[in-house]
């Protein structure tokens, strides 16, 4: 299992278009990929391969998320997913 924290740069956060790109990219990997976000007094966890799960996490601009990858291609998955967020998720 590997993980890394990144900050969401998109002015509108993970709305439908960037969430769709995020999930589409995650589905290219065999590893289990989850997103963790600390919210007030609880931690929110989302399945990175599910648009509804990612949208339900209500990830906004400036939020720090932790991407966790677990599986045979976890290192590559983490590198690609974190770079995608750092690059602004296509926006």
């Amino acid at each position: 299992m590997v993980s890394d924290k990144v900050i969401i740069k998109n002015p509108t956060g993970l709305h439908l278009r960037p969430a769709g790109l995020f999930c589409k990219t995650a589905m290219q990997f065999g590893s289990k990929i989850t997103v963790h976000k600390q919210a007030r007094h609880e931690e929110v966890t989302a399945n990175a391969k599910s648009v509804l799960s990612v949208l339900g996490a209500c990830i906004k601009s400036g939020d720090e998320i932790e991407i966790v990858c677990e599986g045979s291609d976890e290192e590559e998955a983490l590198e690609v997913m974190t770079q995608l967020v750092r690059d602004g998720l296509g926006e």
Side-chain angles (χ1 to χ4, degrees):
M1 181 175 80
V2 294
S3 67
D4 195 8
K5 292 182 179 182
V6 289
I7 304 283
I8 300 298
K9 294 180 185 178
N10 304 48
T12 53
L14 278 185
H15 62 86
L16 188 56
R17 191 178 321 112
L21 176 60
F22 187 80
C23 295
K24 183 179 178 182
T25 303
M27 286 189 278
Q28 296 173 5
F29 299 98
S31 293
K32 177 181 177 185
I33 305 173
T34 54
V35 176
H36 302 275
K37 180 186 107 172
Q38 192 67 36
R40 298 191 190 197
H41 302 292
E42 64 179 309
E43 184 174 310
V44 177
T45 300
N47 175 357
K49 296 182 181 184
S50 165
V51 174
L52 290 178
S53 184
V54 171
L55 289 174
C58 298
I59 300 169
K60 301 190 180 354
S61 181
D63 284 352
E64 180 180 67
I65 61 169
E66 180 179 21
I67 301 173
V68 180
C69 303
E70 186 175 357
S72 59
D73 55 359
E74 62 188 24
E75 295 283 345
E76 181 186 3
L78 182 64
E79 183 180 330
V80 170
M81 297 304 294
T82 55
Q83 192 60 51
L84 182 66
V85 173
R86 288 187 184 108
D87 290 344
L89 291 154
E91 291 194 336

